[in-house]
Coordinates of all heavy atoms in Angstrom, one line a residue:
M18 N 0.8 -1.2 0.0 CA 0.0 0.0 0.0 C 0.9 1.3 0.0 O 0.5 2.2 -0.7 CB -0.9 -0.1 1.2 CG -2.0 1.0 1.2 SD -3.1 0.7 -0.1 CE -4.3 2.0 0.2
T19 N 2.0 1.2 0.8 CA 2.8 2.4 0.8 C 3.5 2.6 -0.5 O 3.8 3.7 -0.9 CB 3.9 2.3 2.0 OG1 4.4 1.0 2.0 CG2 3.2 2.6 3.3
K20 N 3.9 1.5 -1.2 CA 4.5 1.7 -2.5 C 3.6 2.3 -3.5 O 4.0 3.2 -4.3 CB 4.9 0.3 -3.0 CG 6.1 -0.3 -2.3 CD 6.5 -1.6 -3.0 CE 7.7 -2.2 -2.3 NZ 8.2 -3.4 -2.9
I21 N 2.3 2.0 -3.4 CA 1.3 2.6 -4.3 C 1.2 4.1 -4.0 O 1.1 4.9 -4.9 CB 0.0 1.9 -4.3 CG1 0.1 0.4 -4.8 CG2 -1.1 2.6 -5.0 CD1 -1.1 -0.4 -4.6
K22 N 1.1 4.4 -2.7 CA 1.0 5.8 -2.3 C 2.2 6.6 -2.7 O 2.1 7.7 -3.2 CB 0.8 5.8 -0.7 CG 0.6 7.2 -0.2 CD 0.4 7.2 1.3 CE 0.2 8.6 1.8 NZ 0.1 8.6 3.3
T23 N 3.4 6.0 -2.5 CA 4.6 6.7 -2.9 C 4.6 6.9 -4.4 O 5.0 8.0 -4.9 CB 5.9 5.9 -2.5 OG1 5.8 5.6 -1.1 CG2 7.1 6.6 -2.8
M24 N 4.2 5.9 -5.2 CA 4.2 6.0 -6.6 C 3.2 7.1 -7.1 O 3.5 7.9 -7.9 CB 3.9 4.7 -7.3 CG 4.0 4.7 -8.8 SD 3.6 3.1 -9.5 CE 1.9 2.9 -9.2
M25 N 2.0 7.1 -6.5 CA 1.0 8.1 -6.8 C 1.5 9.5 -6.5 O 1.2 10.5 -7.2 CB -0.3 7.8 -6.1 CG -1.0 6.6 -6.7 SD -1.3 6.7 -8.4 CE -2.5 8.0 -8.5
T26 N 2.2 9.7 -5.3 CA 2.7 11.0 -4.9 C 3.7 11.5 -6.0 O 3.7 12.6 -6.4 CB 3.4 10.9 -3.6 OG1 2.5 10.4 -2.6 CG2 3.9 12.2 -3.1
K27 N 4.6 10.5 -6.4 CA 5.6 10.9 -7.4 C 4.9 11.3 -8.8 O 5.3 12.2 -9.4 CB 6.6 9.8 -7.7 CG 7.6 9.6 -6.5 CD 8.5 8.5 -6.8 CE 9.5 8.3 -5.6 NZ 10.4 7.2 -5.9
V28 N 3.9 10.6 -9.1 CA 3.1 10.9 -10.4 C 2.5 12.2 -10.3 O 2.5 13.0 -11.2 CB 2.1 9.8 -10.7 CG1 1.1 10.2 -11.7 CG2 2.8 8.5 -11.0
M29 N 1.9 12.5 -9.1 CA 1.2 13.8 -8.9 C 2.2 15.0 -9.0 O 2.0 16.0 -9.6 CB 0.4 13.8 -7.6 CG -0.8 13.0 -7.6 SD -2.0 13.4 -8.9 CE -2.5 15.1 -8.3
L30 N 3.4 14.8 -8.3 CA 4.4 15.8 -8.3 C 5.0 16.0 -9.7 O 5.2 17.1 -10.1 CB 5.5 15.4 -7.3 CG 5.2 15.6 -5.9 CD1 6.4 15.0 -5.0 CD2 4.9 17.0 -5.5
G31 N 5.1 14.9 -10.4 CA 5.6 15.0 -11.8 C 4.6 15.7 -12.7 O 5.0 16.6 -13.5
A32 N 3.3 15.4 -12.5 CA 2.3 16.1 -13.3 C 2.2 17.6 -13.0 O 2.1 18.4 -13.9 CB 0.9 15.4 -13.0
M33 N 2.4 17.9 -11.7 CA 2.3 19.3 -11.3 C 3.6 20.1 -11.9 O 3.4 21.2 -12.3 CB 2.3 19.5 -9.8 CG 0.9 19.0 -9.2 SD 0.7 19.4 -7.5 CE 2.2 19.1 -6.7
T34 N 4.7 19.4 -11.9 CA 5.9 20.0 -12.4 C 5.7 20.3 -13.9 O 6.1 21.4 -14.4 CB 7.1 19.1 -12.2 OG1 7.2 18.9 -10.8 CG2 8.4 19.7 -12.7
V35 N 5.2 19.3 -14.7 CA 5.0 19.4 -16.1 C 4.0 20.6 -16.4 O 4.2 21.4 -17.2 CB 4.6 18.1 -16.7 CG1 4.1 18.3 -18.1 CG2 5.7 17.1 -16.7
T36 N 2.9 20.6 -15.6 CA 1.9 21.6 -15.8 C 2.5 23.0 -15.5 O 2.3 24.0 -16.3 CB 0.8 21.4 -14.8 OG1 0.2 20.1 -15.0 CG2 -0.3 22.4 -15.0
T37 N 3.3 23.1 -14.5 CA 4.0 24.4 -14.2 C 4.9 24.8 -15.3 O 4.9 26.0 -15.7 CB 4.7 24.3 -12.8 OG1 3.9 23.9 -11.8 CG2 5.4 25.7 -12.5
L38 N 5.7 23.9 -15.8 CA 6.6 24.2 -16.9 C 5.9 24.6 -18.1 O 6.2 25.6 -18.8 CB 7.5 23.0 -17.2 CG 8.6 22.7 -16.1 CD1 9.3 21.4 -16.5 CD2 9.6 23.9 -16.0
L39 N 4.8 23.9 -18.5 CA 4.0 24.3 -19.6 C 3.4 25.6 -19.5 O 3.3 26.4 -20.4 CB 3.0 23.2 -19.9 CG 3.5 21.9 -20.5 CD1 2.4 20.9 -20.6 CD2 4.2 22.1 -21.8
A40 N 2.8 25.9 -18.3 CA 2.2 27.2 -18.1 C 3.2 28.3 -18.1 O 2.9 29.4 -18.7 CB 1.5 27.2 -16.7
T41 N 4.4 28.1 -17.6 CA 5.4 29.1 -17.6 C 5.9 29.4 -19.0 O 6.0 30.6 -19.4 CB 6.6 28.7 -16.7 OG1 6.1 28.4 -15.4 CG2 7.7 29.7 -16.7
S42 N 6.1 28.3 -19.8 CA 6.6 28.6 -21.2 C 5.4 29.2 -22.0 O 5.7 30.0 -22.9 CB 7.0 27.3 -21.8 OG 6.0 26.4 -21.9
A43 N 4.2 28.8 -21.7 CA 3.1 29.4 -22.5 C 2.9 30.9 -22.1 O 2.7 31.7 -23.0 CB 1.8 28.7 -22.2
G44 N 3.1 31.2 -20.9 CA 3.0 32.6 -20.4 C 4.2 33.4 -21.0 O 4.0 34.6 -21.4
A45 N 5.3 32.8 -21.0 CA 6.5 33.5 -21.5 C 6.4 33.8 -23.0 O 6.7 34.8 -23.5 CB 7.8 32.8 -21.2
S46 N 5.9 32.8 -23.8 CA 5.7 33.0 -25.2 C 4.6 33.9 -25.5 O 4.7 34.7 -26.5 CB 5.5 31.6 -25.9 OG 4.2 31.1 -25.4
A47 N 3.6 34.0 -24.7 CA 2.5 35.0 -24.9 C 2.9 36.4 -24.5 O 2.5 37.3 -25.1 CB 1.3 34.6 -24.0
A48 N 3.9 36.5 -23.6 CA 4.3 37.8 -23.2 C 5.3 38.4 -24.2 O 5.5 39.6 -24.2 CB 5.0 37.7 -21.8
T49 N 6.0 37.6 -25.0 CA 7.0 38.1 -25.9 C 6.3 38.6 -27.2 O 5.3 38.0 -27.7 CB 8.0 37.1 -26.3 OG1 7.3 35.9 -26.8 CG2 8.8 36.7 -25.1
V50 N 6.8 39.7 -27.7 CA 6.2 40.3 -28.9 C 7.3 40.2 -30.0 O 8.4 40.7 -29.7 CB 5.7 41.7 -28.7 CG1 5.2 42.4 -29.9 CG2 4.7 41.8 -27.6
T51 N 7.0 39.7 -31.1 CA 7.9 39.6 -32.2 C 7.7 40.9 -33.1 O 6.6 41.2 -33.4 CB 7.8 38.4 -33.0 OG1 6.4 38.3 -33.5 CG2 8.1 37.1 -32.2
T52 N 8.9 41.5 -33.4 CA 8.8 42.6 -34.3 C 9.6 42.3 -35.6 O 10.6 41.6 -35.6 CB 9.4 43.9 -33.7 OG1 10.8 43.6 -33.3 CG2 8.7 44.3 -32.4
T53 N 9.1 42.8 -36.7 CA 9.8 42.6 -37.9 C 10.6 43.7 -38.4 O 11.3 43.6 -39.4 CB 8.7 42.3 -39.0 OG1 7.8 43.4 -39.1 CG2 7.9 41.0 -38.7
T54 N 10.6 44.8 -37.7 CA 11.4 46.0 -38.1 C 12.9 45.7 -37.6 O 13.1 45.2 -36.5 CB 10.9 47.3 -37.4 OG1 11.0 47.1 -36.0 CG2 9.5 47.6 -37.9
A55 N 13.8 46.1 -38.4 CA 15.2 45.9 -38.1 C 15.7 47.0 -37.2 O 15.4 48.2 -37.4 CB 16.0 45.9 -39.4
A56 N 16.4 46.6 -36.2 CA 16.9 47.6 -35.2 C 18.2 48.2 -35.8 O 18.9 47.6 -36.6 CB 17.3 46.8 -33.9
P57 N 18.4 49.5 -35.5 CA 19.5 50.2 -36.1 C 20.8 49.6 -35.5 O 20.9 49.2 -34.3 CB 19.3 51.6 -35.6 CG 18.5 51.6 -34.4 CD 17.6 50.4 -34.6
T58 N 21.9 49.6 -36.3 CA 23.1 49.1 -35.8 C 23.9 50.1 -35.0 O 24.0 51.3 -35.4 CB 24.0 48.7 -37.0 OG1 23.3 47.8 -37.9 CG2 25.3 48.1 -36.6
I59 N 24.3 49.7 -33.8 CA 25.0 50.5 -32.9 C 26.4 50.0 -32.8 O 26.7 48.9 -32.5 CB 24.4 50.5 -31.5 CG1 22.9 51.0 -31.6 CG2 25.2 51.4 -30.5 CD1 22.2 50.9 -30.3
R60 N 27.4 51.0 -33.0 CA 28.8 50.6 -33.0 C 29.4 51.4 -31.8 O 29.3 52.6 -31.7 CB 29.5 50.9 -34.3 CG 29.0 50.1 -35.4 CD 29.8 50.3 -36.7 NE 29.2 49.5 -37.7 CZ 29.5 49.5 -39.0 NH1 30.5 50.3 -39.3 NH2 29.0 48.7 -39.8
T61 N 30.2 50.7 -31.1 CA 30.9 51.3 -29.9 C 32.3 51.0 -30.0 O 32.7 49.9 -30.5 CB 30.3 50.8 -28.6 OG1 30.5 49.4 -28.5 CG2 28.9 51.1 -28.4
T62 N 33.2 51.9 -29.5 CA 34.6 51.6 -29.5 C 35.1 51.9 -28.1 O 34.6 52.8 -27.4 CB 35.4 52.6 -30.5 OG1 35.1 53.9 -30.1 CG2 35.0 52.3 -31.9
V63 N 36.0 51.0 -27.6 CA 36.6 51.2 -26.3 C 38.0 51.2 -26.5 O 38.7 50.4 -27.1 CB 36.2 49.9 -25.4 CG1 36.9 50.0 -24.1 CG2 34.7 49.8 -25.3
Q64 N 38.7 52.3 -25.9 CA 40.1 52.4 -26.0 C 40.7 52.2 -24.6 O 40.3 52.8 -23.6 CB 40.5 53.8 -26.5 CG 40.0 54.1 -27.9 CD 40.4 55.5 -28.4 OE1 40.8 56.3 -27.6 NE2 40.2 55.7 -29.6
L65 N 41.6 51.2 -24.6 CA 42.3 50.9 -23.3 C 43.7 51.4 -23.3 O 44.4 51.4 -24.4 CB 42.3 49.4 -23.1 CG 40.9 48.7 -23.0 CD1 41.1 47.2 -22.9 CD2 40.2 49.3 -21.8
N66 N 44.2 52.0 -22.2 CA 45.5 52.4 -22.1 C 46.4 51.2 -22.1 O 46.2 50.2 -21.5 CB 45.7 53.2 -20.8 CG 47.0 53.9 -20.7 OD1 47.9 53.8 -21.6 ND2 47.2 54.7 -19.7
S67 N 47.5 51.3 -22.9 CA 48.4 50.2 -23.0 C 49.2 49.9 -21.7 O 49.6 48.8 -21.5 CB 49.4 50.4 -24.2 OG 50.2 51.5 -23.9
R68 N 49.4 51.0 -20.9 CA 50.1 50.8 -19.6 C 49.2 51.4 -18.5 O 49.4 52.6 -18.2 CB 51.5 51.5 -19.7 CG 52.4 50.8 -20.6 CD 53.8 51.4 -20.5 NE 54.7 50.4 -20.8 CZ 55.7 50.0 -20.0 NH1 55.8 50.6 -18.8 NH2 56.5 49.0 -20.3
P69 N 48.3 50.7 -18.0 CA 47.5 51.3 -16.9 C 48.3 51.5 -15.7 O 49.2 50.8 -15.4 CB 46.4 50.2 -16.7 CG 47.0 48.9 -17.2 CD 48.0 49.3 -18.3
V70 N 47.9 52.6 -15.0 CA 48.5 53.0 -13.8 C 47.8 52.3 -12.6 O 46.6 52.4 -12.4 CB 48.5 54.5 -13.5 CG1 49.1 54.9 -12.2 CG2 49.1 55.2 -14.7
A71 N 48.6 51.5 -11.8 CA 48.0 50.8 -10.7 C 48.8 51.1 -9.5 O 50.1 50.9 -9.5 CB 48.0 49.3 -11.0
D72 N 48.2 51.6 -8.5 CA 48.9 51.9 -7.2 C 48.8 50.6 -6.3 O 47.7 50.1 -6.1 CB 48.2 53.0 -6.5 CG 48.4 54.4 -7.2 OD1 49.4 54.4 -8.0 OD2 47.6 55.3 -7.1
I73 N 49.9 50.2 -5.8 CA 49.9 49.1 -4.9 C 50.2 49.6 -3.5 O 51.2 50.3 -3.2 CB 51.0 48.1 -5.3 CG1 50.6 47.5 -6.7 CG2 51.1 46.9 -4.3 CD1 51.7 46.6 -7.2
Q74 N 49.3 49.3 -2.6 CA 49.5 49.7 -1.2 C 49.6 48.4 -0.3 O 48.7 47.6 -0.3 CB 48.3 50.5 -0.7 CG 48.2 51.8 -1.5 CD 47.0 52.6 -1.0 OE1 46.1 52.1 -0.2 NE2 46.8 53.8 -1.5
V75 N 50.7 48.4 0.5 CA 50.9 47.2 1.3 C 50.3 47.6 2.7 O 50.6 48.6 3.3 CB 52.4 46.9 1.4 CG1 52.6 45.7 2.4 CG2 53.0 46.6 0.0
T76 N 49.5 46.7 3.2 CA 48.9 46.9 4.5 C 49.3 45.7 5.4 O 49.1 44.5 5.0 CB 47.4 47.0 4.4 OG1 47.1 48.0 3.5 CG2 46.8 47.3 5.8
K77 N 49.8 46.0 6.6 CA 50.1 44.9 7.5 C 49.1 44.8 8.6 O 48.7 45.9 9.1 CB 51.5 45.1 8.1 CG 52.6 45.0 7.2 CD 54.0 45.1 7.9 CE 55.1 44.9 6.9 NZ 56.4 45.0 7.6
I78 N 48.6 43.6 8.9 CA 47.7 43.4 9.9 C 48.3 42.6 11.0 O 48.9 41.6 10.8 CB 46.4 42.7 9.4 CG1 45.8 43.4 8.2 CG2 45.5 42.4 10.5 CD1 44.7 42.7 7.6
H79 N 48.3 43.2 12.2 CA 49.0 42.6 13.3 C 47.9 42.0 14.2 O 47.0 42.7 14.7 CB 49.8 43.6 14.2 CG 50.9 44.2 13.4 ND1 52.0 43.5 13.1 CD2 51.0 45.4 12.8 CE1 52.8 44.3 12.4 NE2 52.2 45.4 12.2
L80 N 47.9 40.7 14.3 CA 46.9 40.0 15.1 C 47.6 39.4 16.4 O 48.7 38.9 16.3 CB 46.3 38.8 14.4 CG 45.6 39.1 13.1 CD1 45.1 37.9 12.4 CD2 44.4 40.0 13.4
K81 N 46.9 39.6 17.5 CA 47.4 39.1 18.8 C 46.9 37.7 19.0 O 45.7 37.4 18.6 CB 46.9 40.0 19.9 CG 47.5 41.4 19.9 CD 47.0 42.2 21.0 CE 47.5 43.6 20.9 NZ 46.9 44.5 22.0
P82 N 47.7 36.8 19.5 CA 47.2 35.5 19.7 C 46.2 35.5 20.9 O 46.3 36.2 21.9 CB 48.5 34.7 20.2 CG 49.5 35.7 20.6 CD 49.1 37.0 19.8
V83 N 45.1 34.8 20.6 CA 44.0 34.7 21.6 C 43.7 33.2 21.9 O 43.6 32.4 21.0 CB 42.7 35.4 21.0 CG1 41.6 35.3 22.0 CG2 43.0 36.8 20.6
T84 N 43.5 33.0 23.1 CA 43.2 31.6 23.5 C 41.6 31.4 23.5 O 40.9 32.4 23.6 CB 43.7 31.3 24.9 OG1 43.1 32.2 25.9 CG2 45.2 31.5 25.0
T85 N 41.2 30.2 23.5 CA 39.8 29.9 23.5 C 39.2 30.2 24.9 O 38.1 30.6 25.0 CB 39.5 28.4 23.2 OG1 40.3 27.6 24.1 CG2 39.9 28.1 21.8
K86 N 40.1 30.1 25.9 CA 39.6 30.5 27.3 C 39.2 32.0 27.4 O 38.2 32.4 27.9 CB 40.7 30.2 28.3 CG 40.3 30.4 29.7 CD 41.3 29.9 30.7 CE 40.8 30.1 32.1 NZ 41.9 29.6 33.1
K87 N 40.1 32.8 26.7 CA 39.8 34.3 26.7 C 38.5 34.6 25.9 O 37.7 35.4 26.3 CB 41.0 35.0 26.2 CG 40.9 36.5 26.3 CD 42.2 37.2 25.9 CE 42.1 38.7 26.1 NZ 43.3 39.4 25.8
I88 N 38.4 33.9 24.8 CA 37.2 34.1 24.0 C 35.9 33.7 24.8 O 34.9 34.4 24.8 CB 37.3 33.4 22.6 CG1 38.3 34.0 21.8 CG2 35.9 33.4 21.9 CD1 38.6 33.2 20.5
S89 N 36.0 32.5 25.4 CA 34.9 32.0 26.2 C 34.6 33.0 27.3 O 33.4 33.2 27.6 CB 35.3 30.7 26.8 OG 34.3 30.2 27.7
S90 N 35.6 33.6 27.9 CA 35.3 34.5 29.0 C 34.6 35.8 28.5 O 33.7 36.3 29.1 CB 36.7 34.9 29.7 OG 36.5 35.9 30.6
Q91 N 35.1 36.3 27.3 CA 34.4 37.4 26.7 C 33.0 37.2 26.4 O 32.1 38.0 26.6 CB 35.2 37.9 25.5 CG 36.6 38.5 25.9 CD 37.4 38.9 24.6 OE1 37.0 38.5 23.5 NE2 38.4 39.6 24.8
V92 N 32.7 36.0 25.8 CA 31.4 35.6 25.5 C 30.5 35.5 26.7 O 29.4 36.0 26.7 CB 31.3 34.3 24.6 CG1 29.9 33.8 24.5 CG2 32.0 34.5 23.3
Q93 N 31.0 34.9 27.7 CA 30.3 34.7 29.0 C 30.0 36.1 29.6 O 28.9 36.3 30.1 CB 31.0 33.9 30.0 CG 30.2 33.5 31.2 CD 29.0 32.7 30.9 OE1 29.0 31.8 30.1 NE2 27.9 33.1 31.5
T94 N 30.9 37.0 29.5 CA 30.7 38.4 30.0 C 29.6 39.1 29.3 O 28.8 39.7 29.9 CB 32.0 39.2 29.9 OG1 33.1 38.5 30.6 CG2 31.9 40.6 30.5
A95 N 29.6 38.9 28.0 CA 28.5 39.5 27.1 C 27.2 38.9 27.5 O 26.2 39.6 27.6 CB 28.9 39.4 25.7
V96 N 27.1 37.6 27.7 CA 25.9 37.0 28.0 C 25.4 37.4 29.4 O 24.2 37.7 29.6 CB 26.0 35.4 28.0 CG1 24.8 34.7 28.6 CG2 26.3 35.0 26.6
D97 N 26.3 37.5 30.3 CA 25.9 38.0 31.7 C 25.4 39.4 31.6 O 24.4 39.7 32.3 CB 27.1 37.9 32.6 CG 27.5 36.4 33.0 OD1 26.7 35.5 32.7 OD2 28.6 36.2 33.4
A98 N 26.1 40.3 30.9 CA 25.6 41.7 30.8 C 24.2 41.7 30.1 O 23.4 42.5 30.5 CB 26.6 42.5 30.0
S99 N 24.0 40.9 29.1 CA 22.7 40.9 28.5 C 21.6 40.4 29.4 O 20.5 41.0 29.5 CB 22.7 40.0 27.2 OG 21.5 39.9 26.6
A100 N 21.9 39.4 30.2 CA 21.0 38.8 31.2 C 20.7 39.9 32.3 O 19.5 40.1 32.7 CB 21.5 37.6 31.8
L101 N 21.7 40.6 32.7 CA 21.6 41.6 33.7 C 20.7 42.7 33.2 O 19.8 43.3 33.9 CB 22.9 42.1 34.2 CG 22.9 43.2 35.3 CD1 22.4 42.6 36.5 CD2 24.3 43.7 35.5
N102 N 20.9 43.1 31.9 CA 20.1 44.2 31.3 C 18.6 43.7 31.2 O 17.7 44.5 31.5 CB 20.7 44.5 29.9 CG 20.0 45.7 29.3 OD1 19.4 46.5 30.0 ND2 20.1 45.7 28.0
L103 N 18.4 42.5 30.9 CA 17.0 42.0 30.8 C 16.4 42.0 32.2 O 15.2 42.3 32.3 CB 17.0 40.6 30.2 CG 17.2 40.5 28.7 CD1 17.3 39.1 28.2 CD2 16.1 41.3 27.9
D104 N 17.1 41.6 33.2 CA 16.6 41.6 34.5 C 16.3 43.0 35.0 O 15.2 43.2 35.6 CB 17.7 41.0 35.5 CG 17.8 39.4 35.4 OD1 16.8 38.8 34.8 OD2 18.7 38.9 35.9
Q105 N 17.1 43.9 34.6 CA 16.9 45.3 35.0 C 15.6 45.8 34.4 O 14.8 46.5 35.0 CB 18.1 46.2 34.7 CG 18.0 47.6 35.1 CD 18.0 47.7 36.7 OE1 18.7 47.0 37.3 NE2 17.2 48.6 37.2
K106 N 15.4 45.5 33.1 CA 14.2 46.0 32.4 C 13.0 45.3 33.0 O 12.0 46.0 33.1 CB 14.3 45.6 30.9 CG 15.3 46.5 30.1 CD 15.2 46.1 28.6 CE 16.2 47.0 27.8 NZ 16.2 46.6 26.4
H107 N 13.1 44.1 33.4 CA 12.0 43.4 34.0 C 11.6 44.0 35.3 O 10.5 44.2 35.6 CB 12.3 41.9 34.1 CG 11.2 41.1 34.7 ND1 10.1 40.8 33.9 CD2 11.0 40.4 35.9 CE1 9.2 40.1 34.7 NE2 9.8 39.8 35.8
S108 N 12.6 44.3 36.1 CA 12.4 44.9 37.4 C 11.8 46.3 37.2 O 10.9 46.7 38.0 CB 13.7 45.1 38.2 OG 14.2 43.8 38.5
D109 N 12.3 47.1 36.2 CA 11.7 48.4 36.0 C 10.3 48.3 35.6 O 9.5 49.2 36.0 CB 12.6 49.1 34.9 CG 13.9 49.5 35.4 OD1 14.2 49.5 36.6 OD2 14.8 49.9 34.5
S110 N 9.9 47.3 34.7 CA 8.6 47.2 34.3 C 7.6 46.8 35.4 O 6.5 47.2 35.5 CB 8.4 46.3 33.1 OG 8.7 44.9 33.6
Q111 N 8.2 46.0 36.4 CA 7.3 45.7 37.5 C 7.1 46.8 38.5 O 6.0 46.9 39.1 CB 8.0 44.5 38.3 CG 7.9 43.2 37.6 CD 8.5 42.1 38.4 OE1 9.3 42.3 39.3 NE2 8.1 40.8 38.2
L112 N 8.0 47.7 38.5 CA 7.9 48.9 39.4 C 6.9 49.9 38.9 O 6.3 50.7 39.7 CB 9.2 49.6 39.7 CG 10.2 48.7 40.5 CD1 11.6 49.5 40.5 CD2 9.7 48.5 41.9
K113 N 6.7 49.9 37.6 CA 5.8 50.9 37.0 C 4.4 50.6 37.1 O 3.9 49.5 37.3 CB 6.1 51.1 35.5 CG 7.5 51.8 35.4 CD 7.8 52.0 33.9 CE 9.1 52.6 33.7 NZ 9.5 52.8 32.4

């Protein structure tokens, strides 16, 4: 029974996909308008400098070594501060 149900589900999904594709292509073909007039020819020229000027800037980034313990401490401090802020807001709202 489950095999039949699975097969019917696949058939229905396939049919819906085909219907969607046909509807999309029909809508797209109906939305396009064909014209028989020739478009004017547009010519453009691009001139590139044979020796482009490029400035190179060297930037040094100095990173300090950080341990996972320090990162964990900073995260815990931020969480504690956020919790304290929420507690304070809760207390303020109760007083009002």
Side-chain angles (χ1 to χ4, degrees):
M18 189 67 177
T19 45
K20 287 184 180 181
I21 294 173
K22 183 179 177 183
T23 305
M24 186 178 69
M25 288 304 294
T26 304
K27 288 181 182 179
V28 168
M29 289 301 294
L30 287 174
M33 290 188 322
T34 303
V35 169
T36 304
T37 304
L38 289 174
L39 290 174
T41 305
S42 63
S46 63
T49 57
V50 177
T51 56
T52 58
T53 56
T54 58
T58 304
I59 300 173
R60 294 187 181 173
T61 60
T62 57
V63 177
Q64 294 179 350
L65 300 175
N66 190 354
S67 61
R68 295 185 147 239
V70 179
D72 294 334
I73 298 175
Q74 297 177 353
V75 178
T76 305
K77 290 186 178 180
I78 301 173
H79 299 284
L80 300 175
K81 296 179 183 178
V83 180
T84 62
T85 55
K86 186 176 181 180
K87 188 171 183 179
I88 292 173
S89 174
S90 173
Q91 289 175 349
V92 169
Q93 188 60 46
T94 303
V96 168
D97 291 343
S99 178
L101 183 64
N102 188 21
L103 287 175
D104 286 343
Q105 185 65 39
K106 285 182 181 179
H107 184 67
S108 297
D109 289 345
S110 67
Q111 284 183 340
L112 292 174
K113 290 181 183 179

